[in-house]
Amino acid sequence: MKNKFSNYNIKTKTIKLTVMSLLCTLSIVLSAIDSMIPVMMFMPPGAKLGLSNIVTMYTAGVFGLLPALIISIVKSLFVGTTRGIMAFLMSFFAGVISTIVSGLLLKKRIFGLIGVGIIGAVVHNLIQLMVVILITKTFSLIYYLPMLIIFALATGFLTGIILNISIPMLEKIKVI
């Protein structure tokens, strides 16, 4: 399988830092937009599209796992300041673990971007549910898992498709 990220060559540390800052900002903006989308009839309560996961997958593919983790953590801090401690804990643990899984899958090139998006979304939802169950000690919430997995399949597919569409456009930017 061809590495979709092979055409990137960051020329200087300053440019890399600038691009990383823009990606971090984009992740925060997408997270904010995601939180403004109302829950619709077909969505599980509290579920989000996970648009910022597009940025962390892209970052993991272009810059590596550590920069993707930094973006995930910064986004979690934003979530915590805007939505509270519970949202922070869910975002932090689910974001870090799903970013690690996605980054490793991208490195191994076992799956395409859609597969990585789906697996990352499933892991993200699973970890968020585990965090809620551990904090609230409401183990009956495990029955919510099948609905979350079905939703993760759809949202992961969507984020993978968006990233697949975005990469050719991003490659045209001569900075990277």
Side-chain angles (χ1 to χ4, degrees):
M1 180 172 112
K2 182 185 175 225
N3 183 352
K4 291 216 173 241
F5 303 104
S6 60
N7 295 333
Y8 293 93
N9 181 18
I10 306 302
K11 293 170 180 62
T12 68
K13 288 182 181 181
T14 304
I15 292 173
K16 183 177 180 180
L17 180 61
T18 303
V19 172
M20 286 294 302
S21 299
L22 290 170
L23 290 170
C24 202
T25 303
L26 180 59
S27 178
I28 290 169
V29 168
L30 289 174
S31 177
I33 290 169
D34 209 0
S35 70
M36 290 185 240
I37 298 172
V39 175
M40 295 176 211
M41 193 169 33
F42 61 89
M43 294 170 61
K48 304 288 178 211
L49 295 176
L51 298 174
S52 65
N53 296 337
I54 298 165
V55 178
T56 54
M57 281 194 328
Y58 174 78
T59 304
V62 173
F63 295 102
L65 185 56
L66 183 60
L69 284 170
I70 291 168
I71 287 177
S72 181
I73 291 167
V74 170
K75 186 206 58 143
S76 296
L77 292 170
F78 167 77
V79 167
T81 58
T82 58
R83 292 178 239 159
I85 188 70
M86 185 69 155
F88 166 75
L89 293 172
M90 292 169 59
S91 176
F92 178 81
F93 288 108
V96 166
I97 294 170
S98 66
T99 298
I100 290 170
V101 169
S102 296
L104 293 174
L105 290 173
L106 286 168
K107 187 174 183 174
K108 297 283 186 187
R109 296 188 212 159
I110 299 170
F111 300 97
L113 295 177
I114 294 171
V116 173
I118 290 170
I119 293 168
V122 168
V123 168
H124 197 276
N125 285 356
L126 178 65
I127 299 302
Q128 281 190 327
L129 183 62
M130 288 173 53
V131 167
V132 171
I133 288 171
L134 289 173
I135 291 173
T136 64
K137 294 180 178 51
T138 309
F139 299 102
S140 62
L141 289 173
I142 199 71
Y143 295 111
Y144 192 48
L145 185 59
M147 189 183 330
L148 287 176
I149 289 174
I150 291 168
F151 191 70
L153 294 173
T155 58
F157 181 82
L158 177 68
T159 57
I161 289 285
I162 292 171
L163 186 53
N164 260 324
I165 292 168
S166 301
I167 286 176
M169 291 180 261
L170 293 169
E171 286 178 342
K172 291 179 183 176
I173 300 171
K174 299 298 181 200
V175 174
I176 56 177

